[in-house]
Amino acid sequence: MSGAQALATIDWRRPWLTPLAALGQCAARRVQAGASVADALNALVDEGRAPTPGVRFASQQALSLGTAYEQFIHAQRLVPTRDNLHDFFNGLIWLHYPATKRRLNQWQAQAIAADGVGAVRGPLRDAITVLDENGALLLAPPALHQALAARQWRRLCVDLRPLWQQARLLVLGHALLEKLVSPRKSITAHVYQAQEAIETVANVDDWLAADLSAQRLAAKPFNPLPVLGVPGWCPENENFCFYDDSQVFRSARVA
């Protein structure tokens, strides 16, 4: 399936795509009209539809032979971009969360400069990859954070369901977004939990870029969350039996 054909399968009405839909639909239309993904993303910036992310998007062929992807972005301020869903969503995340993406890229480049690419990423680079590819940010009341950390699924999604009206789950991982084009119950996000009340976060990107630290990330401060369990994200989860699937909604490990 071509990139244009794949983009045609996206249902922008899905709740996890709502924050990205305005720019995403515009970029998708350009690609379907014949533009490359890189050119479609750059056009959004050039026309003032999207804020300047601090990078430009370029064809994958721009990536220098023998140069690590993360180092190339850091040095050249160019994001090599293929004409597929994966890189399309990566570009959308760059447009919506540029400060966070730049911070993660900076740490990646610094780690590679210090230790080389290597067969093993190391704890910091590994955690950055998890957040970048499969991460989500939860802004929510403390009771929801506590239930998620304890993997108390019934409490999180049934007993405390009214509290989700005060919460937001924002998908940051572009691989996660790609998987959710064809949603299934087992798709699970690695959730970074914001320790702030939702009303105090005026700019999520600036807040997240400031809140993240290399030391904290290296400890992998994530909690798993099967995203179709989020209230309002799947009609089937209105039946509390949805959460009885222990292969998806797994209990916390016993220490």
Side-chain angles (χ1 to χ4, degrees), residues 201-240:
V201 181
N203 184 306
V204 171
D205 180 40
D206 288 345
W207 174 87
L208 181 57
D211 189 69
L212 290 170
S213 72
Q215 183 178 10
R216 187 178 182 197
L217 262 184
K220 293 186 180 177
F222 310 121
N223 286 296
L225 174 61
V227 294
L228 293 191
V230 175
W233 280 31
C234 174
E236 289 80 4
N237 74 32
E238 293 184 16
N239 184 333
F240 65 85

Side-chain angles (χ1 to χ4, degrees), residues 10-91:
I10 299 174
D11 183 355
W12 293 101
R13 297 168 299 177
R14 300 285 192 177
W16 49 87
L17 288 175
T18 300
L20 310 175
L23 295 182
Q25 288 178 290
C26 186
R29 285 194 294 268
R30 290 178 181 274
V31 174
Q32 290 171 301
S36 69
V37 170
D39 287 345
L41 294 167
N42 287 329
L44 293 178
V45 178
D46 294 341
E47 295 172 2
R49 295 173 183 263
T52 303
V55 296
R56 298 285 290 178
F57 303 95
S59 166
Q60 181 71 17
Q61 282 66 45
L63 182 59
S64 306
L65 186 65
T67 303
Y69 172 82
E70 295 89 352
Q71 277 188 317
F72 181 84
I73 294 173
H74 184 68
Q76 302 297 327
R77 296 294 186 265
L78 286 174
V79 180
T81 303
R82 300 164 296 181
D83 292 322
N84 59 27
L85 278 179
H86 189 85
D87 287 9
F88 174 81
F89 282 123
N90 183 47

Side-chain angles (χ1 to χ4, degrees), residues 125-144:
R125 289 190 63 214
D126 185 47
I128 291 172
T129 299
V130 169
L131 180 62
D132 193 41
E133 294 280 351
N134 204 61
L137 172 68
L138 179 63
L139 300 104
L144 292 182

